[in-house]
Amino acid sequence: MGVHDPLADFERLAHCVREDRPPEIHVAPRVMMRVRAAEIASERTLRFVAVGSCVVTPLVAVLGLQLLSNLGSSLEALFEIVPPIGF
C-alpha cells in the first residue's frame, strides 16, 4: 500500500484549474439582480418585524404595569391575612 501524497493531489487539481475556461456568458449582472431582489425582500421583512415590535411594545408595557399594580394589591392582601412574625 503506497503513501498518499496530498501535494500531488493539489498539483493535479491546480493543473485542471489552469485548463478551465471562464464562461462565455457574462453572468455577473444576473447574479447581482438576484442579490438585490433578495436584499429588498429581506429589508421589507425586517421593516415589518420592526413595525410590529413598535406596535406591540407599548401594549406589553401597559399590560405589564397593570399586572404589576395588581400584584402589589395581592401582596398587601396576603399580609392582611397572614400577619408578620412577632406580632
Side-chain angles (χ1 to χ4, degrees):
M1 190 169 191
V3 177
H4 180 71
D5 186 15
L7 185 58
D9 292 340
F10 181 76
E11 287 177 359
R12 186 168 19 90
L13 286 173
H15 179 70
C16 292
V17 169
R18 273 188 233 125
E19 294 176 358
D20 193 20
R21 299 281 179 236
E24 294 182 19
I25 299 172
H26 192 59
V27 295
R30 279 191 269 154
V31 170
M32 289 307 297
M33 187 171 59
R34 290 182 68 185
V35 167
R36 286 188 187 112
E39 182 181 18
I40 290 169
S42 66
E43 285 179 5
R44 189 177 324 132
T45 302
L46 289 175
R47 276 192 204 119
F48 284 137
V49 169
V51 167
S53 297
C54 289
V55 168
V56 171
T57 300
L59 297 174
V60 170
V62 168
L63 182 64
L65 288 174
Q66 286 178 349
L67 290 175
L68 188 62
S69 66
N70 291 341
L71 180 65
S73 299
S74 300
L75 191 59
E76 289 173 4
L78 178 68
F79 281 128
E80 286 177 9
I81 295 172
V82 180
I85 298 174
F87 285 101

